Amino acid sequence: MGGCTTSRVRAWGRNFVSFLARHHLRSRVALVGLTCLLCGTLHAHGAYHDVVDTLSAELRETPNDTGLRFKLAEAHAGHDEWRACLMQIKLIERLAPGRYPTGYLRGLSLHVGGRDEEARRALDGFLGGNPNHGDGLATRGRVLLNLGLPSEAAADFQKAMNLATSPNPDLVVDLAKAYKDSGRPEEASRVIDEGLKTVGDTPSLLLCALEIESGRGAWEAALGRIDALQKTAPSPEPWMAERALVLSKAGRSAESRAAWIALRNQLLSLPNLERGYPQNAELLNRAQHALGESAPQPVAAPPASF
């Protein structure tokens, strides 16, 4: 997911775990993904505080240096510290009105803070004078999505994509979601397909494609996305479960049953300790339930005698 800001990576992590939870796919793949995301976040967290400490120390010597204050506002915005960003923007605009693109940072911060109506007004004003600001367009697109205006959001995302110098998976997902929410699922799938051709099998794109195609009943396409996700996942079991669910939704009962059997056998072949992980135990229970089998009762070891 090259080119993503820390906030977007964290957001993708939240969306990824939310997707797994919606589909009851909590497993080692989620744990591994979260570990990677948390490691990256911790490193970014440390870098953020280093930057803030350095800039704050310099500002104690030159408190009216608006260039330093704008860098500090950018650092706060990139770390989702929206209130701190707004505080710096207020000082910058008092000391040097009109010198810096504070309208974009204000809109971004208000969006992060959940104040999307205010964010839209700030971004409308900023983009009125800076119509080709890609980050501003993408941020306003996300604001418009939150405000229930997917068609307008799609226009902003498309323009931001046209302005981008390199492929951006985040924008592809955002544009596809805007098309899906505006009742254009075929267009959403087309956007994802083009993105996958450009950036490869990025998990965020595959997950978005899976959700779109399952939603419109494009079962073969959804199964293809599951295959791609399973190939890159550290553990195949959650995607085996998703395959069984999609086959069931598609009315392919015999294939769905075979998929549940394959998942059950896969889980039973794991070492005892690994099979006993809560996530794997949940998947095994679901597979056995789908097959009409009773799950065996756990065996409690007798207390040791001395």
Side-chain angles (χ1 to χ4, degrees):
M1 296 175 63
C4 301
T5 63
T6 300
S7 62
R8 292 294 291 161
V9 171
R10 287 201 301 270
W12 184 88
R14 290 192 295 269
N15 291 340
F16 179 60
V17 174
S18 174
F19 175 88
L20 293 173
R22 285 200 307 276
H23 293 272
H24 309 287
L25 298 176
R26 302 180 186 93
S27 75
R28 286 176 296 152
V29 66
L31 295 176
V32 172
L34 274 176
T35 300
C36 295
L37 287 164
L38 286 172
C39 287
T41 300
L42 287 172
H43 287 302
H45 191 73
Y48 161 73
H49 283 293
D50 290 343
V51 169
V52 169
D53 289 345
T54 299
L55 291 172
S56 297
E58 293 178 13
L59 281 167
R60 282 193 288 272
E61 300 295 324
T62 55
N64 292 331
D65 188 327
T66 51
L68 289 176
R69 289 205 176 277
F70 187 72
K71 290 179 181 177
L72 183 57
E74 287 183 311
H76 287 319
H79 200 70
D80 291 355
E81 297 292 342
W82 63 279
R83 289 187 176 87
C85 180
L86 290 173
M87 185 181 301
Q88 292 302 321
I89 288 172
K90 185 176 181 180
L91 290 169
I92 292 165
E93 291 180 340
R94 179 169 58 82
L95 293 168
R99 186 182 300 177
Y100 301 95
T102 52
Y104 164 63
L105 288 185
R106 175 182 287 105
L108 174 61
S109 296
L110 290 167
H111 169 54
V112 170
R115 295 159 61 178
D116 282 314
E117 290 285 2
E118 295 173 75
R120 181 184 183 181
R121 289 194 291 273
L123 290 164
D124 283 348
F126 172 73
L127 288 167
N130 302 272
N132 294 323
H133 193 280
D135 287 340
L137 287 163
T139 302
R140 187 172 67 178
R142 293 172 194 127
V143 167
L144 292 168
L145 267 184
N146 283 356
L147 293 174
L149 299 167
S151 295
E152 291 89 335
D156 274 353
F157 291 139
Q158 186 64 69
K159 187 173 181 180
M161 282 184 65
N162 294 342
L163 291 167
T165 56
S166 60
N168 187 325
D170 289 331
L171 274 177
V172 175
V173 170
D174 286 333
L175 180 56
K177 177 172 172 53
Y179 279 136
K180 178 177 74 71
D181 290 356
S182 58
R184 300 160 68 183
E186 292 82 3
E187 195 71 1
S189 291
R190 179 192 61 78
V191 167
I192 290 289
D193 283 335
E194 291 178 356
L196 287 166
K197 290 175 185 175
T198 305
V199 302
D201 286 347
T202 304
S204 59
L205 299 190
L206 290 168
L207 285 165
C208 183
L210 175 57
E211 190 166 355
I212 290 168
E213 287 154 357
S214 295
R216 68 186 184 98
W219 305 119
E220 284 300 328
L223 291 168
R225 307 306 186 191
I226 293 170
D227 288 342
L229 284 160
Q230 186 170 329
K231 287 175 184 175
T232 60
S235 171
E237 292 87 7
W239 302 113
M240 294 172 74
E242 181 67 4
R243 167 173 284 278
L245 286 170
V246 167
L247 288 167
S248 177
K249 291 175 184 176
R252 293 157 62 171
S253 302
E255 292 174 82
S256 177
R257 180 173 178 81
W260 285 120
I261 290 172
L263 173 60
R264 179 200 62 192
N265 293 343
Q266 168 76 10
L267 290 164
L268 290 175
S269 72
L270 296 175
N272 288 339
L273 182 61
E274 192 172 351
R275 187 170 69 246
Y277 291 163
Q279 297 81 7
N280 288 335
E282 178 186 349
L283 283 173
L284 180 58
N285 182 64
R286 293 185 64 236
Q288 290 174 322
H289 178 76
L291 294 168
E293 300 173 351
S294 298
Q297 293 297 314
V299 177
S305 57
F306 297 95

